[in-house]
Amino acid sequence: MTTKNVELRVFGMTCDDCARTVAQGLRSRKGVEEAVVDVRTGTAEVTIEDSAVTPEDLLRVPIFGERSHYKALVKRAG
Amino acid sequence: MVSRQFDLVILGWGAAAFSAAIKASELTSGGATIAMIGKGPIGGTCVNVGCVPSKYLLEASHLAFNPRHPRMPGVGAVGPKVDFGKVMDGLRAYVDHARSAKYEEVIRNYPNVTLIEGLGSFLDERTVKVEGPSGGEVSGSQVIIATGSAPTVPKIDGLKEAGYLTSDTLWNLNELPHRVAIIGGGAIGLEMGQALLHFGAEVTVVEALDSLLPQGEPEIGEALKKRLEGEGMRIHLRARVSSAGKSRDGKYVEVITHAGRHRFTVDEIIVSTGRRPNTGTLNLEVAHVKTDERGLIITDRAMRTSSPGIYAAGDCVSKTLFLETLAAREGVVAVSNMFGQEAEIDHGSATWAVFTYPQVAGVGLTEKEFSRKNGSCSFRTLSLANLTKASLMGETDGLVKITVDPKDNKIVGMHIFSPSATDIIIEGAYAVRHGYTVEDIIATSHVFPSLSEGVKLAAQSFIRDVSKMSCCVE
Ligand SMILES: Cc1cc2nc3c(=O)[nH]c(=O)nc-3n(C[C@H](O)[C@H](O)[C@H](O)COP(=O)(O)OP(=O)(O)OC[C@H]3O[C@@H](n4cnc5c(N)ncnc54)[C@H](O)[C@@H]3O)c2cc1C
């Protein structure tokens, strides 16, 4: 199993609770090994299982859905 | 050199760039840092040298022309006093106003967007070098290429020495050129040609193809040609300008047609032979962005290029319709996908128009395009002579053509030549996009008498002969 580190730029976070919510949202996606979210830098460092999830798939987790307050784009795809 | 880092770098500051920047700002409540790199007046082609000045000039020209050519008995011809210099001052003032109101002031509301003046080119997939007053390097987590296009000028002997105008420079005119040659009879050439004709110029159009507006229905190209010639425009089809130069009383243009070679003298030459994408100096190879043989950037329907994280939108994209409306939509589609929201561009139901008088507008497939794809099709053409509103206006030159899929009667294309065609065509856009049938159109209320009723009559002509129909039949 190969893993990859992806950095996301996350918008819409204002407090540590937001960061926790986003991290949980990311971890709920199959293939996400770890997600560390920093509200100050507005970034998420995500470790993904290469064969199970692509960096773009991370943008489609419900936490970044159309109605959600949080939005993300890929800053570094590994 | 340290490069300035942004969430999104957009090359260009025209329609596609603006809509992308605004969409990205809205999605992130102004959180995304965006660099918009551009050269020349902000807003790009549409507001400065495209849609806005051309439509202004056409409107003014029709106001000058139509009162001189009344179409109803008992209404006499009057010639409005026209000061062409003042018209052009008004045009330039309007362009300045539109640029300021729709672009400069708008972007001030987005402090997250940084405008960087200069020409950008790729250093690698995420870094752009800017040649301009502030210069430097700019990097983006994501990049959109929206550098638009510019007029092409064919290699014609003596043309450069004779001097010519294009759609980039026409708007600087202060005096009406009395004799004008237009090289290229596409939408832009015909619009500029009719505008000058309506102000009183003698206009000759030289077109290499054998019909006008070949992207549309041939009946419309033919009817438009007849109308323009009726107004005094000279149109040479299957013709080529072989040389041009200065002459004793102006400029000469030498044309080769099937009848041979002949020369005529004009005061101004306007070149409208097409546009090429502004991609040649972008250094796309280092960014691994692929183009087609015309230099247009190849994208998928999500506006992704061949290079992950780089999108393209607007006139620099490989497609067949080059319109402000599509540029803006493509900018939105690119940004939506960048944020994981699935969106696709729908070129199939894009409306296009030529703002001559009467106007031409179309959506979807022509009869020929549908037949070529599917082997058969069904279509009807309604002459405006059968439409009460058009005939009482004396505007019977036009037509409405509807093409349907014979399998289910769903409308696949609509093409209109009529006053207000650019407004009426929206009915076709809904029909093509949502798969309405001719029965849906017939069952929908249309005002009587109106030009839009032409669409309904064209639909009815699938079930009966409308030339023998009472106007009260539903
Ligand atoms: C005469 C005329 C009439 C038209 N009428 C209509 C109409 O009625 N309706 C309609 O829908 N469409 C019309 N169009 C088409 C419409 O104007 C274009 O489709 C639209 O403006 C394209 O927008 P864009 O953002 O792709 O490109 P543009 O608006 O051309 O913007 C591109 C920008 O990128 C800049 N640029 C170029 N290279 C670089 C670089 N290397 N780095 C940074 N910046 C760069 C350019 O200077 C420009 O500012 C008309 C066009 C013309 C010429």
Side-chain angles (χ1 to χ4, degrees):
Chain A
M1 180 184 82
T2 51
T3 60
K4 183 149 117 181
N5 289 324
V6 176
E7 189 181 358
L8 300 183
R9 173 85 165 92
V10 182
F11 302 93
M13 299 188 297
T14 51
C15 62
D16 287 337
D17 281 343
C18 290
R20 256 192 301 278
T21 309
V22 169
Q24 267 165 19
L26 282 165
R27 283 188 211 116
S28 69
R29 175 70 166 85
K30 199 168 156 271
V32 171
E33 300 273 293
E34 180 54 306
V36 180
V37 181
D38 186 334
V39 65
R40 274 158 304 132
T41 56
T43 54
E45 290 282 349
V46 193
T47 309
I48 57 171
E49 199 183 310
D50 232 357
S51 56
V53 60
T54 67
E56 284 70 33
D57 288 339
L58 298 176
L59 308 178
R60 290 190 276 270
V61 297
I63 195 67
F64 300 133
E66 233 156 274
R67 297 218 177 137
S68 164
H69 197 74
Y70 309 113
K71 295 281 176 290
L73 50 75
V74 177
K75 194 167 175 191
R76 191 174 34 78
Chain B
M1 188 185 282
V2 184
S3 63
R4 284 188 278 173
Q5 177 70 41
F6 292 87
D7 295 316
L8 171 60
V9 166
I10 305 177
L11 282 157
W13 56 24
F18 259 74
S19 84
I22 289 170
K23 178 73 180 173
S25 302
E26 284 171 358
L27 279 178
T28 60
S29 306
T33 54
I34 300 169
M36 210 153 64
I37 303 165
K39 183 90 196 286
I42 196 160
T45 302
C46 177
V47 68
N48 294 296
V49 291
C51 330
V52 173
S54 60
K55 267 76 260 182
Y56 188 103
L57 195 67
L58 279 156
E59 284 299 327
S61 79
H62 304 331
L63 289 178
F65 183 85
N66 287 339
R68 286 192 169 90
H69 302 87
R71 293 181 155 263
M72 293 175 86
V75 179
V78 284
K81 203 170 160 309
V82 177
D83 181 334
F84 187 75
K86 284 205 177 124
V87 170
M88 295 309 286
D89 285 342
L91 177 150
R92 289 183 288 260
Y94 186 78
V95 165
D96 288 347
H97 156 76
R99 181 177 50 246
S100 162
K102 304 284 182 200
Y103 292 89
E104 287 161 356
E105 280 169 32
V106 168
I107 212 67
R108 265 186 224 124
N109 296 318
Y110 295 90
N112 58 313
V113 179
T114 305
L115 299 177
I116 302 175
E117 196 185 341
L119 280 179
S121 58
F122 283 96
L123 291 171
D124 60 42
E125 286 105 326
R126 293 290 179 277
T127 315
V128 166
K129 184 172 88 181
V130 184
E131 307 267 8
S134 52
E137 287 178 15
V138 178
S139 298
S141 300
Q142 301 279 307
V143 179
I144 299 180
I145 308 170
T147 49
S149 63
T152 52
V153 178
K155 281 202 181 77
I156 293 173
D157 261 1
L159 179 62
K160 204 165 160 216
E161 295 71 28
Y164 58 87
L165 299 173
T166 67
S167 62
D168 274 358
T169 51
L170 177 78
W171 324 112
N172 302 326
L173 279 177
N174 288 311
E175 276 174 38
L176 179 70
H178 290 287
R179 298 161 302 175
V180 181
I182 303 213
I183 309 179
I188 293 174
L190 293 177
E191 286 185 359
M192 294 193 291
Q194 196 189 36
L196 297 175
L197 182 85
H198 279 187
F199 280 120
E202 278 174 28
V203 176
T204 305
V205 172
V206 183
E207 166 58 46
L209 298 174
D210 59 5
S211 65
L212 294 182
L213 307 179
Q215 77 274 28
E217 293 287 5
E219 296 92 328
I220 290 183
E222 202 40 55
L224 176 64
K225 179 168 179 281
K226 219 163 128 197
R227 173 72 178 234
L228 292 172
E229 285 177 335
E231 291 182 355
M233 188 183 277
R234 273 190 289 267
I235 300 173
H236 298 294
L237 297 179
R238 260 175 284 140
R240 190 168 65 79
V241 174
S242 54
S243 68
K246 290 220 161 89
S247 67
R248 202 167 30 83
D249 60 341
K251 303 174 184 192
Y252 76 84
V253 174
E254 188 170 86
V255 181
I256 302 176
T257 65
H258 60 96
R261 196 181 279 263
H262 80 280
R263 264 186 192 208
F264 56 97
T265 306
V266 293
D267 302 300
E268 198 51 85
I269 300 170
I270 298 176
V271 177
S272 54
T273 45
R275 297 175 67 83
R276 60 167 168 70
N278 294 323
T279 53
T281 59
L282 290 176
N283 211 11
L284 292 175
E285 310 75 49
V286 298
H288 308 293
V289 173
K290 291 211 174 91
T291 59
D292 67 13
E293 65 290 348
R294 293 169 296 168
L296 292 160
I297 296 170
I298 298 167
T299 67
D300 63 9
R301 284 156 63 97
M303 308 319 296
R304 289 188 200 96
T305 68
S306 51
S307 183
I310 305 183
Y311 294 74
D315 279 8
C316 61
V317 167
S318 179
K319 57 183 173 177
T320 51
L321 286 175
F322 297 89
L323 298 166
E324 184 274 342
T325 43
L326 277 180
R329 183 77 207 135
E330 288 162 5
V332 165
V333 168
V335 167
S336 301
N337 284 291
M338 194 177 288
F339 283 91
Q341 300 182 352
E342 275 160 54
E344 287 196 340
I345 191 71
D346 174 15
H347 285 133
S349 64
T351 47
W352 60 268
V354 185
F355 286 75
T356 46
Y357 187 88
Q359 299 174 332
V360 178
V363 62
L365 300 175
T366 61
E367 173 208 336
K368 237 200 206 128
E369 286 166 340
F370 188 84
S371 305
R372 217 180 289 137
K373 258 173 86 172
N374 301 282
S376 71
C377 81
S378 174
F379 71 90
R380 291 291 185 277
T381 304
L382 174 90
S383 159
L384 291 199
N386 290 317
L387 180 66
T388 304
K389 177 66 185 276
S391 64
L392 66 80
M393 287 168 74
E395 283 292 354
T396 53
D397 291 344
L399 59 99
V400 178
K401 181 167 176 179
I402 297 180
T403 301
V404 303
D405 184 336
K407 284 200 310 292
D408 51 18
N409 257 359
K410 282 190 178 165
I411 293 169
V412 295
M414 190 181 293
H415 293 81
I416 303 176
F417 177 42
S418 161
S420 302
T422 58
D423 298 308
I424 304 167
I425 195 64
I426 188 67
E427 185 164 2
Y430 278 117
V432 171
R433 183 166 163 80
H434 299 291
Y436 297 156
T437 61
V438 287
E439 289 79 16
D440 290 325
I441 301 270
I442 296 168
T444 303
S445 171
H446 290 69
V447 169
F448 174 84
S450 67
L451 291 169
S452 67
E453 201 202 2
V455 173
K456 180 171 163 179
L457 287 189
Q460 280 176 321
S461 63
F462 280 88
I463 50 176
R464 63 173 74 94
D465 179 356
V466 290
S467 67
K468 299 193 183 80
M469 188 178 85
S470 155
C471 52
C472 310
V473 173
E474 276 293 309

